[in-house]
Amino acid sequence: MKALRFGRHAAIAVIAAGALALTACGSDQVTGTAPAGSQSAGPKVTGTLTGIGASSTGAAMDAWKAGFAAANSGATVQYSPDGSGAGRKAIIDGSAQFAGSDAYLKDEELASSKTQCGPEGAINIPVYISPIAVAFNLPGITELKLDAVTVAKIFRGEIATWNDPSIAALNPGVTLPDTKVTPVNRSDDSGTTTNFTEYLAAAAAEVWTDKASGVWPATLQGENAKGTSGVVKTVTDTPGAVTYADDSAVGGKLGTASIKVGEEFVKISAEAAAKAVEAGKPVEGRSATDVAIKLDRKTTAAGAYPIVLVSYHVVCTAYDKQETVDLVKAFESYVVSDAGQQAAADSAKSAPLSPALAEKAVKAIESIKVKS
């Protein structure tokens, strides 16, 4: 995993760093050759960039905003964590210049984006890889082992108490309480929900009969809360509660589950999440600059944690003004650079993009242009 954090080859890093040296007067050319990971060389961009989207990347976004502002004193990034669905709607209707989304654009959303983003529409740029924790509040218990079928039964309300035989069989030697199981789901249209239900629908199809969706099935009972912070707070305040949330937001007295993959149980970690992403493939039917990834939720790769999200920044392929193009390119170049990825890893426990994925992201960012 060390290579994922520090091994990105110099050419990519120089391109990413150089993009931060775009001029504020509208030039689309790199004006400096900063060292890899540097943000200090060359003229800076100015202006305000507006984003709306995923709450899961909150810690990473705070780090990115701070790092970018430090290098560009005249530039500001505003980001409203209203959920992935809200972000995708915002880029489509033009109320935001980029969206944060834990799910890539659907085909119909891509078609709709062409009105605001030009004939090539919007593209998905991966910026953040993180495991989704199955997090629970059981005093005295910080770790459990679960398989996909048991997780699905828990969230469908088919397991009433924590000492249920199906949980006990996976956790020999653990004294489980008869505390009521209270599943907590997201109330908003959420990319985290999309990724979680994709896993359940693929890995536990016999139990999870609903289609994968960003909206939690209305037929299922349980508690709900808005945003990543909302579900984590509800579980923290409720003994016996359990939720799914970006691992960066899970802490305090909450425990997390190791997930069965093949014949082993894989503990949640950024490294394990990165291994799962490596098993993914490009989404078919997309443009050469779209970097959407189809994850293999049933992977049996050793050490891979399959409940993972790839969060994207969804950007237009073309904007009305050169100044907007410069801002978008500069910010996104910082986000996918060594410095930006390490800032996210340090603040949010995320896995930095692999060298190959970073290279694709840089090429996608370079393709952004002014509408002709």
Side-chain angles (χ1 to χ4, degrees):
M1 188 58 201
K2 186 175 181 181
L4 281 174
R5 292 183 182 275
F6 302 111
R8 195 159 308 136
H9 55 70
I12 297 172
V14 169
I15 293 172
L20 283 170
L22 293 169
T23 64
C25 64
S27 171
D28 201 21
Q29 301 298 317
V30 173
T31 58
T33 54
S38 172
Q39 306 165 51
S40 59
K44 311 302 182 184
V45 293
T46 59
T48 300
L49 190 64
T50 300
I52 296 173
S55 61
S56 60
T57 57
M61 183 59 72
D62 287 344
W64 290 330
K65 287 164 59 179
F68 184 66
N72 299 272
S73 59
T76 302
V77 178
Q78 300 175 339
Y79 185 77
S80 184
D82 298 336
S84 295
R88 295 194 303 276
K89 289 178 182 177
I91 194 73
I92 289 170
D93 67 22
S95 56
Q97 293 157 326
F98 75 96
S101 179
D102 297 338
Y104 54 78
L105 290 174
K106 300 173 185 176
D107 289 343
E108 56 270 27
E109 291 173 324
L110 178 59
S112 297
S113 72
K114 294 179 181 180
T115 301
Q116 289 290 336
C117 296
E120 297 176 39
I123 52 175
N124 304 277
I125 299 172
V127 296
Y128 178 86
I129 296 170
S130 183
I132 298 171
V134 177
F136 53 85
N137 181 350
L138 290 176
I141 300 176
T142 58
E143 294 184 18
L144 285 175
K145 295 177 180 178
L146 298 174
D147 58 20
V149 168
T150 305
V151 173
K153 287 182 177 179
I154 287 172
F155 282 91
R156 292 195 77 83
E158 297 178 13
I159 292 178
T161 61
W162 282 99
N163 63 350
D164 185 275
S166 60
I167 299 178
L170 296 170
N171 295 274
V174 179
T175 302
L176 296 165
D178 61 358
T179 306
K180 176 186 175 183
V181 175
T182 303
V184 180
N185 62 269
R186 290 280 292 268
S187 61
D188 50 326
D189 186 341
S190 158
T192 307
T193 300
T194 298
N195 283 275
F196 186 58
T197 56
E198 277 183 0
Y199 166 72
L200 295 176
E206 66 272 32
V207 176
W208 194 266
T209 54
D210 294 279
K211 292 182 179 180
S213 173
V215 179
W216 192 256
T219 56
L220 300 183
Q221 297 182 348
E223 301 293 325
N224 64 71
K226 183 177 181 180
T228 301
S229 60
V231 295
V232 170
K233 183 179 187 305
T234 299
V235 175
T236 301
D237 294 343
T238 310
V242 59
T243 193
Y244 54 94
D246 189 274
D247 189 42
S248 66
V250 176
K253 61 184 178 182
L254 300 187
T256 56
S258 296
I259 300 299
K260 192 173 186 181
V261 177
E263 297 302 315
E264 67 172 338
F265 287 91
V266 179
K267 190 173 182 178
I268 190 168
S269 70
E271 290 81 3
K275 288 184 179 180
V277 173
E278 288 172 5
K281 297 180 180 179
V283 175
E284 295 181 355
R286 299 301 174 97
S287 70
T289 55
D290 191 290
V291 199
I293 302 167
K294 181 68 174 178
L295 298 170
D296 180 6
R297 301 298 185 177
K298 296 193 288 184
T299 181
T300 58
Y305 183 88
I307 317 177
V308 61
L309 65 82
V310 177
S311 198
Y312 300 89
H313 280 178
V314 184
V315 300
C316 287
T317 53
Y319 292 89
D320 290 330
K321 298 180 180 180
Q322 184 67 56
E323 290 79 4
T324 305
V325 171
D326 290 347
L327 269 170
V328 172
K329 281 188 170 184
F331 179 61
E332 298 302 340
S333 293
Y334 168 64
V335 168
V336 304
S337 72
D338 285 330
Q341 288 293 293
Q342 193 60 51
D346 292 342
S347 63
K349 301 187 289 185
S350 59
L353 300 177
S354 69
L357 198 54
E359 184 172 13
K360 291 179 180 179
V362 168
K363 288 180 179 179
I365 293 163
E366 287 182 318
S367 73
I368 300 169
K369 58 184 181 296
V370 177
K371 290 179 182 176
S372 56

